[in-house]
Amino acid sequence: MKYMWIDGYCISKKGVLKDYKPEWDATRYMIKGKMFVLQGENKEGKPIITVKLKPENGDFLRQQFKEITPGYYMNKEHWNSVYLEGNFPDEVLKEMIDESYQLIFESLSKKVQQEILSAE
């Protein structure tokens, strides 16, 4: 798989925990129990990653890249899925993961954010 870097990239972010959800056959990356990345397959077995984006950014990216669709089994306004077949640009995917992480991080209380930032 071309995107082997995704796991290391996600877990390298502060405060991230990873788990596997067997009933979804998917890996989740979370901050304090709030998911920011879901990686698995769609019902046809095609590899996908789903991230949260600002609605206007998600709309823009879906118009630019055929590999991006509204979130698979998620809120279609805030979540976007990227099909990981083909040559989707690594840098764009990293930016999407970064935005998703930041949105979830900012949704946490200031106290929790500070705990995450000060943890070693």
Side-chain angles (χ1 to χ4, degrees):
M1 183 170 136
K2 178 181 185 277
Y3 304 96
M4 295 297 289
W5 56 264
I6 291 172
D7 182 68
Y9 191 75
C10 290
I11 60 175
S12 71
K13 296 183 173 299
K14 284 194 169 270
V16 172
L17 293 176
K18 165 183 150 179
D19 77 359
Y20 178 74
K21 190 107 169 125
E23 57 271 25
W24 297 352
D25 192 21
T27 301
R28 300 183 300 175
Y29 298 89
M30 300 182 294
I31 315 164
K32 295 291 184 182
K34 292 187 172 197
M35 184 176 69
F36 74 98
V37 168
L38 178 68
Q39 187 175 7
E41 297 177 343
N42 71 2
K43 63 184 174 189
E44 288 89 34
K46 294 182 179 185
I48 59 172
I49 184 171
T50 302
V51 297
K52 187 172 190 174
L53 300 174
K54 293 178 183 171
E56 62 275 8
N57 197 22
D59 288 341
F60 174 78
L61 288 169
R62 285 195 297 267
Q63 292 173 27
Q64 304 302 309
F65 298 97
K66 66 179 176 15
E67 296 91 347
I68 303 176
T69 63
Y72 184 70
Y73 277 107
M74 302 291 275
N75 176 301
K76 308 293 186 217
E77 183 179 358
H78 297 278
W79 291 88
N80 297 270
S81 294
V82 179
Y83 283 86
L84 298 177
E85 297 177 317
N87 292 311
F88 190 78
D90 288 355
E91 277 311 307
V92 176
L93 187 53
K94 285 180 181 178
E95 289 171 9
M96 293 173 72
I97 292 169
D98 291 345
E99 180 177 336
S100 187
Y101 175 87
Q102 197 61 37
L103 285 170
I104 299 303
F105 182 82
E106 289 172 357
S107 75
L108 302 171
S109 71
K110 296 293 180 197
K111 180 182 177 189
V112 172
Q113 289 179 23
Q114 195 55 47
E115 288 171 5
I116 291 169
L117 292 174
S118 62
E120 285 297 317

